[in-house]
Amino acid sequence: MVQYLDAGLDASFAALSDATRRGVLEQLGRAEASISDLAEKFNMTLTGMKKHVGVLERAGLVRTEKVGRVRTCKIGPRRLEEEMAWLDRYRQLWEARFDELDKVVEELKRKGQVDGRKKRE
Amino acid sequence: MKNRTTVERKSERETVVTRTFNAPARIVFEAWTKPELFKKWWLPKSMGMTLIACEMDVRTGGTYRLVFGQGMEFFGRYTEVTPHSRLVWINEEGGDNGSVTTVTFEEEGGKTLLVVSELYNSKEALDAAGTGAADALVETFQQLDELLVTLGAS
C-alpha cells in the first residue's frame, strides 16, 4: 500500500509542480475543454498543451476522450481522499473478517491436536 | 497479538490484501473451504447481517452460493482449487461486473501468509464494490467499537 501511495503521490506532485498544469486543473474543474481551447486560454502551442495534459493524464488527474477530431479533457478519476477512504473501508472489512478467521483457525489448531491421531489412521 | 492486515490497490481494477495466520496452510485453507467454518468468519458479526445459506462445492468448476437474511445473494464458481495453496473463484452475481478473487496460502515455519486479490472488470465496478457493502460496514464497525468497550472485550 505504501508503495502504491508513494508512486501515486509522486505522479500527482510532479503533475502539480507546474503553474500551467495547476491552472489547467482549475479550469477543468469548472468545465471540460478541448486541448485547443486550453492552448488558447493559456497562450500556448497545441503541442505544448498536449504535453501538459499528458502529464496530468498519467497522474490520473485528468482524463481525455477523443470524439471525432477533438480531444476533450475532463477532471480525472484520481481523487486522493476518495481513494484513501475507499482503502480504509476495504481494510476494515478484511481486518474484521481476519479477526474472526483467527478464532476459527485457533479452534481448528486445538482440535487438530486432539483429532490428529484419528485422522492419520 | 493480532497480525497486521495490509491492503494495496494494485491498479484501478485490482486490490490485494495480505495477512499472516499463526497456523499451517492446511488449517487456514480448511477455514476457507468448509462452509460450516467459512460462515463463522466471512461475515463479521459487526456487519449486522446473517447468512441463512452457505453452500460451497469447493472443487474446480464447483459453485458457491451465499444467501443473506437481508435478501442479498452472492454466487459464483470456483475456477481453480489447489488444496492448501490456491483458490480462485468468479463472482457471478454482478453479471458482467463480476470480479475474480484469487486466494493464495503460503506456508513458512508453521505460519501461513495469505494473499487475497480481487480483480474487477472495471474501475467503476471496483469503486461500486467499495461503496456498497463496505459503507454499511463502517457504521456497524463504529457500533461494534462501542459494544466492545461496553463488554470490556480484549
Side-chain angles (χ1 to χ4, degrees):
Chain A
M1 165 167 178
V2 172
Q3 285 131 342
Y4 165 73
L5 281 177
D6 280 355
L9 288 174
D10 281 353
S12 298
F13 283 128
L16 293 170
S17 65
D18 179 275
T20 304
R21 291 198 285 266
R22 288 196 297 271
V24 167
L25 272 185
E26 214 173 294
Q27 185 66 34
L28 293 177
R30 286 195 285 270
E32 50 184 73
S34 70
I35 297 212
S36 48
D37 289 341
L38 291 170
E40 199 178 313
K41 201 152 253 158
F42 288 88
N43 253 327
M44 292 185 87
T45 60
L46 213 52
T47 319
M49 184 48 75
K50 267 185 194 156
K51 276 185 193 160
H52 283 307
V53 168
V55 173
L56 289 167
E57 196 172 16
R58 278 192 294 281
L61 296 165
V62 162
R63 72 194 140 113
T64 70
E65 197 184 349
K66 197 165 186 179
V67 180
R69 299 179 61 185
V70 179
R71 184 166 285 280
T72 305
C73 311
K74 304 173 189 181
I75 284 295
R78 186 176 181 83
R79 289 198 166 72
L80 283 178
E81 307 81 18
E82 279 176 22
E83 246 163 52
M84 303 276 288
W86 191 96
L87 273 179
D88 237 26
R89 288 197 297 267
Y90 194 71
R91 187 208 320 277
Q92 283 179 332
L93 167 65
W94 282 100
E95 264 175 4
R97 273 180 183 161
F98 290 157
D99 289 349
E100 298 292 328
L101 179 52
D102 266 340
K103 293 180 202 160
V104 174
V105 162
E106 285 307 316
E107 201 180 309
L108 287 175
K109 264 164 73 178
R110 275 197 300 274
K111 268 193 194 160
Q113 281 155 9
V114 179
D115 301 342
R117 279 170 225 106
K118 276 187 235 162
K119 276 184 186 164
R120 275 194 293 273
E121 276 173 14
Chain B
M1 249 302 270
K2 258 189 345 190
N3 291 321
R4 208 168 142 248
T5 302
T6 67
V7 174
E8 187 184 355
R9 193 152 160 183
K10 281 276 184 203
S11 74
E12 291 199 334
R13 303 193 297 127
E14 188 178 14
T15 55
V16 176
V17 184
T18 57
R19 167 73 135 78
T20 298
F21 289 87
N22 303 328
R26 174 179 53 81
I27 284 183
V28 184
F29 189 83
E30 196 180 341
W32 276 80
T33 50
K34 284 198 173 154
E36 69 272 22
L37 298 174
F38 185 83
K39 68 181 184 193
K40 282 189 184 174
W41 63 270
W42 182 255
L43 260 192
K45 291 185 187 76
S46 50
M47 269 185 93
M49 292 173 84
T50 44
L51 265 181
I52 51 173
C54 179
E55 298 154 12
M56 299 163 67
D57 178 14
V58 189
R59 54 185 169 154
T60 303
T63 58
Y64 67 86
R65 188 166 153 265
L66 305 176
V67 184
F68 303 96
Q70 289 69 16
M72 245 159 73
E73 197 175 311
F74 287 164
F75 54 89
R77 212 160 21 92
Y78 293 95
T79 54
E80 198 185 325
V81 178
T82 308
H84 312 171
S85 72
R86 196 174 153 90
L87 207 52
V88 183
W89 70 79
I90 297 182
N91 304 277
E92 293 177 327
E93 72 275 351
D96 287 345
N97 280 338
S99 57
V100 176
T101 306
T102 304
V103 189
T104 59
F105 307 74
E106 223 175 283
E107 186 175 324
E108 208 188 308
K111 293 185 177 191
T112 301
L113 173 68
L114 183 84
V115 181
V116 183
S117 129
E118 291 190 293
L119 179 66
Y120 289 82
N121 263 346
S122 65
K123 178 182 185 294
E124 287 69 29
L126 185 151
D127 286 342
T131 49
D135 261 351
L137 253 188
V138 173
E139 285 163 39
T140 41
F141 277 143
Q142 282 157 0
Q143 291 164 12
L144 175 71
D145 283 343
E146 287 160 23
L147 181 68
L148 289 178
V149 170
T150 321
L151 296 173
S154 56

